[in-house]
């Protein structure tokens, strides 16, 4: 399974941005998916996750209400819609995938996911 994140860039505080993650090499519709981020000097942190069936989502508290995770099984693509961006959202954003999980499972830690993309940088200026 290969993942390629895209859509990062430089935005101003309060702006919106949508990240995409194209997945190949696996049965996308049966992959549990997640987004993580890593700010300079910090560990990689959970942002959000979506199950492979029923579209069950979970979010980190710091992004809940501002970020929305979704998936398009027809396009093998995971999305992260980010709004009301803050400077503290500045980070490299990574998408992740795991298989053979319970249909409504969502993973909250890096150890939960076997496959990772290379990340896309989001910079939010004040």
């Amino acid at each position: 399974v290969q993942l390629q994140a895209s859509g990062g860039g430089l935005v101003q505080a309060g702006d919106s941005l949508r990240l995409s993650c194209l997945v190949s090499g696996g049965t996308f519709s049966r992959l549990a998916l997640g987004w993580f981020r890593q700010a300079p000097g910090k560990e990689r942190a959970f942002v959000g996750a979506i199950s492979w069936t029923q579209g069950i989502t979970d979010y980190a508290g710091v992004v809940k209400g501002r970020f929305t995770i979704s998936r398009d099984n027809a396009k093998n693509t995971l999305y992260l819609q980010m709004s009301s961006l803050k400077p503290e959202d500045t980070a490299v954003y990574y998408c992740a995938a795991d298989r053979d999980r319970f249909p409504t499972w969502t993973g909250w830690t890096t150890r939960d996911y076997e496959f990772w993309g290379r990340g896309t940088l989001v910079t939010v200026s004040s």
Side-chain angles (χ1 to χ4, degrees):
V1 179
Q2 295 82 45
L3 300 92
Q4 179 60 58
S6 62
L10 173 63
V11 297
Q12 294 186 333
D15 284 352
S16 298
L17 195 65
R18 189 178 78 162
L19 304 183
S20 300
C21 177
L22 179 64
V23 181
S24 60
T27 304
F28 182 84
S29 61
R30 295 183 67 90
L31 293 173
L33 302 167
W35 285 100
F36 290 75
R37 67 186 184 185
Q38 189 165 17
K42 295 188 177 181
E43 294 188 352
R44 196 169 298 187
F46 173 72
V47 174
I50 186 167
S51 64
W52 65 265
T53 189
Q54 298 185 36
I56 293 171
T57 56
D58 282 311
Y59 297 93
V62 293
V63 306
K64 199 167 187 177
R66 298 189 298 123
F67 290 12
T68 301
I69 188 169
S70 62
R71 61 191 297 161
D72 186 334
N73 288 349
K75 296 182 178 180
N76 286 7
T77 303
L78 170 71
Y79 300 102
L80 183 67
Q81 179 67 49
M82 305 183 291
S83 61
S84 302
L85 282 162
K86 305 175 182 179
E88 50 264 44
D89 294 318
T90 294
V92 176
Y93 283 72
Y94 297 89
C95 51
D98 205 67
R99 55 190 174 189
D100 299 327
R101 291 292 189 176
F102 191 77
T104 57
W105 177 89
T106 56
W108 290 32
T109 76
T110 58
R111 294 187 301 273
D112 290 329
Y113 295 90
E114 179 178 359
F115 305 102
W116 291 83
R118 295 182 65 179
T120 185
L121 176 63
V122 174
T123 304
V124 184
S125 63
S126 57

